Amino acid sequence: MENPIVSEISLVPIKPKYGHIAFASFVLFDALYVSSVAVYTRPHGGIRLVYPRKKNLDVCHPIKHELGLMIEEAITDEMQRYELI
């Protein structure tokens, strides 16, 4: 069985403010750790991920839309598992 693309998902719920509900971290391809990803709710359901920035420069973010959707789906599943959304 192939390893999952997104693994070791960790969620830190926060007091909701302007739709911001949590921070997430995860491992991609068993090789890259990504942290400090902000999780926001969408007005019509679902979540939106905001990747870390430093002085208006992106620190990291998915280049391919499909990878971004896979990450979002994995985090959504984890949030539903713990009833955070």
Side-chain angles (χ1 to χ4, degrees):
M1 185 169 122
E2 188 176 311
N3 290 333
I5 292 172
V6 183
S7 61
E8 300 182 38
I9 298 170
S10 176
L11 299 168
V12 178
I14 64 168
K15 183 178 177 182
K17 185 174 184 179
Y18 305 114
H20 188 192
I21 58 171
F23 282 100
S25 62
F26 51 89
V27 174
L28 286 176
F29 303 106
D30 286 334
L32 178 67
Y33 175 74
V34 181
S35 68
S36 301
V37 177
V39 181
Y40 285 82
T41 56
R42 291 187 184 268
H44 302 291
I47 64 168
R48 165 175 78 92
L49 302 178
V50 177
Y51 290 85
R53 296 179 66 113
K54 187 170 185 171
K55 295 189 179 187
N56 296 326
L57 297 173
D58 292 328
V59 174
C60 69
H61 62 88
I63 294 173
K64 295 195 176 196
H65 182 69
E66 296 81 14
L67 178 60
L69 291 176
M70 288 181 199
I71 294 168
E72 191 173 295
E73 182 179 309
I75 291 175
T76 298
D77 291 347
E78 193 74 6
M79 292 188 78
Q80 288 174 339
R81 181 175 163 207
Y82 289 103
E83 298 177 357
L84 297 173
I85 56 170

